[in-house]
Amino acid sequence: MAVTKNVKGTVETRIKNPKLVRKKHLLIAAKATKLFIKKGFSGTSMRDISRVTKITLGNLYSYIEKKEDVLCLVFDLYHKSWFKLLEKNGVYKIDDPRAQIHMAVHTLLLNCEAYQDEIKLMYLESRFLPKKSLKIAMENERQLILEFEKMIRRGMERGIFRVEDPFYAANMIVFQISVNPLRGWNLRDKYSYDKLVNLTESYILKALVQ
Amino acid sequence: MAVTKNVKGTVETRIKNPKLVRKKHLLIAAKATKLFIKKGFSGTSMRDISRVTKITLGNLYSYIEKKEDVLCLVFDLYHKSWFKLLEKNGVYKIDDPRAQIHMAVHTLLLNCEAYQDEIKLMYLESRFLPKKSLKIAMENERQLILEFEKMIRRGMERGIFRVEDPFYAANMIVFQISVNPLRGWNLRDKYSYDKLVNLTESYILKALVQ
DNA sequence: GAAGACATCGAACGTTCGTTATTTTTCTTA
DNA sequence: TAAGAAAAATAACGAACGTTCGATGTCTTC
């Protein structure tokens, strides 16, 4: 298993106190997220960020080097290691492939709920990340897909799943998990989130079993 | 069946000759699309648009009123009426619901191929549309979902499909059709487009049949 | 070919942008 | 509490932004 790299540590700073840096970086990322969601990365100015963080424009540049860095900080903040989340919830201990995938999807969906806007943001604004950070962010997702592919293959060997192409199916599953952040506008007012989770789970599983 | 409204006609111009307006609007939209894809709407300047269209900055404003109008022109250009596309391809004449949905998905997927970037663009930049235009754009998609819901219900009545919630399933199908533009980076180099179309079709159908 | 409508152009407007350099305040430590 | 380091605040830079305007060029029509 490849080590999950973190985007963190890419943003250089002029401030010496590391605790202070962490605190302000967190503040900047959290506040900037809301701005980026509303106005996009290019549409948000450093002065906007200065205003909402209450950090003076000049002082902001003590904690970052370029505007781009703010976007990196945002991605750091929400860059959960999905793989680790699955491990923590005991997904890999489940023997029955059906129950295992169900649990994996369930775990990720619940985790998505609190971060809908942020996930959408990462879909919309990832293209403005510096190449290096973008690669790291995509690697995380690729790894998640790989995990699903493994689970699907296990289910196929046991004759529980029947899928034309496990890699493609794994891609679809990860894609479908992001349906709520990306397409919620049409679904949210019709279903409760619990209902949505249920529907997504069974819809995904239905496409796997034979 | 509700009439499909068009975004067109919302952009006012100072030029009198309507043929000239149409021609230049087309040029502006086509060239701006590529810029918006690369740099986003906010990241693209009027001077950028002027440069690639070879229309002087001042003259550009003879054909539009605001920068926003360029985005509207882009949406006009690629705003296919999906519903009409299905009708044109004889989807509604197909009796067998399974074959019907298969044909509908197939038609849309093939039509997507040539417009991958543009579809992605509409996902990414629709939030910068003026409210009125945004509403029209979403109405088109809502209508497509409704059509799929109808087809699914027909299949359920005949005992061919078994779906927990037809409206949700219809949403998922439309979402899955856009998998290539939105997630192609992970799939495109592994599969040919034909293969991808095949996989998507059978994956969608598998989740419908009982 | 003169007149007048139409289209195009170049230059400029006032703002706002990302970023930096310098000064002022605050904190730490002896 | 003085001294020196660290952090914050201020003000400014040049460049680029969306938009406007008046002059210039190019057609049509008689």
Side-chain angles (χ1 to χ4, degrees):
Chain A
M1 182 65 51
V3 176
T4 309
K5 278 192 196 171
N6 205 311
V7 190
K8 278 171 192 170
T10 48
V11 175
E12 306 227 353
T13 178
R14 207 154 39 77
I15 303 286
K16 306 291 172 71
N17 182 346
K19 281 202 174 176
L20 187 60
V21 170
R22 253 194 305 277
K23 190 182 129 192
K24 295 282 166 115
H25 273 182
L26 223 71
L27 172 69
I28 294 169
K31 297 287 189 179
T33 300
K34 287 171 190 170
L35 288 175
F36 289 164
I37 288 170
K38 208 185 297 175
K39 320 209 279 173
F41 173 69
S42 309
T44 301
S45 72
M46 289 304 292
R47 283 163 182 82
D48 288 336
I49 296 170
S50 163
R51 194 177 311 116
V52 297
T53 56
K54 292 189 173 69
I55 299 173
T56 308
L57 187 56
N59 197 21
L60 258 180
Y61 278 88
S62 303
Y63 292 94
I64 59 163
E65 286 184 313
K66 314 172 252 69
K67 185 190 177 189
E68 216 177 43
D69 290 342
V70 180
L71 191 61
C72 290
L73 289 177
V74 170
F75 270 72
D76 284 345
L77 187 57
Y78 300 108
H79 188 272
K80 292 279 182 302
S81 182
W82 303 115
F83 169 71
K84 280 184 187 162
L85 187 72
L86 294 186
E87 200 168 37
K88 213 182 74 181
N89 279 54
V91 168
Y92 296 113
K93 290 181 196 149
I94 300 173
D95 183 61
D96 173 41
R98 220 187 125 97
Q100 187 183 39
I101 290 232
H102 189 276
M103 183 60 171
V105 172
H106 189 78
T107 302
L108 293 174
L109 280 176
L110 285 190
N111 204 265
C112 274
E113 184 180 13
Y115 297 103
Q116 297 203 32
D117 283 346
E118 288 76 7
I119 288 167
K120 187 173 180 178
L121 177 69
M122 290 172 79
Y123 262 85
L124 294 181
E125 308 294 337
S126 65
R127 65 199 147 137
F128 298 116
L129 275 178
K131 269 212 185 77
K132 210 185 203 174
S133 301
L134 179 62
K135 216 175 170 188
I136 295 173
M138 274 166 49
E139 180 56 32
N140 189 43
E141 196 152 331
R142 210 187 56 84
Q143 198 183 330
L144 181 63
I145 291 169
L146 239 64
E147 291 304 318
F148 271 105
E149 189 184 345
K150 272 193 227 161
M151 292 189 250
I152 293 170
R153 284 190 189 281
R154 234 167 49 81
M156 287 172 76
E157 282 162 17
R158 296 215 193 166
I160 296 171
F161 297 152
R162 201 161 66 92
V163 178
E164 203 176 330
D165 188 306
F167 176 72
Y168 177 83
N171 266 276
M172 274 302 206
I173 289 174
V174 174
F175 187 53
Q176 282 171 295
I177 287 171
S178 64
V179 72
N180 295 305
L182 286 180
R183 284 198 129 258
W185 55 267
N186 202 29
L187 297 169
R188 263 194 286 276
D189 35 296
K190 186 156 182 189
Y191 308 105
S192 70
Y193 197 85
D194 280 352
K195 179 70 182 164
L196 224 47
V197 168
N198 273 333
L199 284 169
T200 310
E201 283 165 17
S202 52
Y203 191 89
I204 288 176
L205 271 176
K206 186 117 183 282
L208 296 180
V209 298
Q210 55 173 330
Chain B
M1 179 67 50
V3 175
T4 308
K5 278 192 197 171
N6 204 311
V7 192
K8 277 171 192 172
T10 49
V11 174
E12 306 225 354
T13 178
R14 210 156 36 79
I15 303 286
K16 306 292 171 73
N17 182 347
K19 279 201 175 177
L20 188 59
V21 170
R22 254 194 305 276
K23 190 182 129 193
K24 294 281 166 118
H25 274 182
L26 223 73
L27 172 69
I28 294 169
K31 297 285 189 180
T33 300
K34 286 172 190 168
L35 288 175
F36 289 163
I37 288 170
K38 209 184 295 175
K39 321 209 279 173
F41 173 69
S42 309
T44 301
S45 72
M46 289 304 292
R47 281 164 183 83
D48 288 335
I49 297 171
S50 163
R51 194 175 313 116
V52 298
T53 56
K54 291 190 173 69
I55 300 173
T56 308
L57 189 55
N59 198 21
L60 258 181
Y61 278 88
S62 303
Y63 293 95
I64 58 163
E65 285 184 314
K66 314 174 250 66
K67 186 188 177 189
E68 215 177 43
D69 290 343
V70 180
L71 191 61
C72 290
L73 288 178
V74 170
F75 270 71
D76 284 346
L77 187 56
Y78 299 108
H79 189 273
K80 293 277 183 302
S81 183
W82 302 116
F83 169 71
K84 280 184 187 163
L85 187 72
L86 295 185
E87 201 168 35
K88 214 182 74 181
N89 280 56
V91 169
Y92 297 114
K93 290 182 197 147
I94 301 174
D95 184 61
D96 173 39
R98 219 188 126 96
Q100 187 183 37
I101 290 232
H102 189 278
M103 184 58 171
V105 171
H106 189 78
T107 302
L108 292 175
L109 280 176
L110 284 192
N111 204 265
C112 274
E113 184 181 13
Y115 298 102
Q116 297 204 32
D117 284 345
E118 289 76 8
I119 288 167
K120 187 173 181 179
L121 177 69
M122 291 172 79
Y123 262 85
L124 295 181
E125 308 294 338
S126 65
R127 64 198 148 137
F128 297 117
L129 274 178
K131 269 212 185 78
K132 211 184 202 174
S133 301
L134 179 61
K135 216 175 169 188
I136 295 174
M138 274 166 48
E139 180 56 32
N140 189 42
E141 196 152 333
R142 209 186 56 82
Q143 197 183 331
L144 181 64
I145 292 169
L146 237 64
E147 291 303 319
F148 271 105
E149 190 184 345
K150 273 193 225 161
M151 291 188 250
I152 293 170
R153 283 190 192 280
R154 234 167 51 82
M156 287 171 76
E157 281 161 17
R158 296 215 192 166
I160 296 171
F161 296 153
R162 202 161 65 93
V163 178
E164 203 176 331
D165 187 305
F167 176 71
Y168 177 83
N171 267 276
M172 275 303 206
I173 290 174
V174 173
F175 188 53
Q176 281 172 296
I177 287 172
S178 64
V179 73
N180 296 305
L182 287 179
R183 284 198 130 257
W185 53 267
N186 201 30
L187 298 168
R188 264 192 284 274
D189 34 295
K190 187 157 182 188
Y191 308 105
S192 71
Y193 198 84
D194 280 351
K195 180 69 181 166
L196 223 46
V197 169
N198 273 332
L199 284 169
T200 309
E201 283 166 16
S202 52
Y203 191 88
I204 287 175
L205 271 177
K206 186 116 182 282
L208 296 180
V209 298
Q210 56 173 327

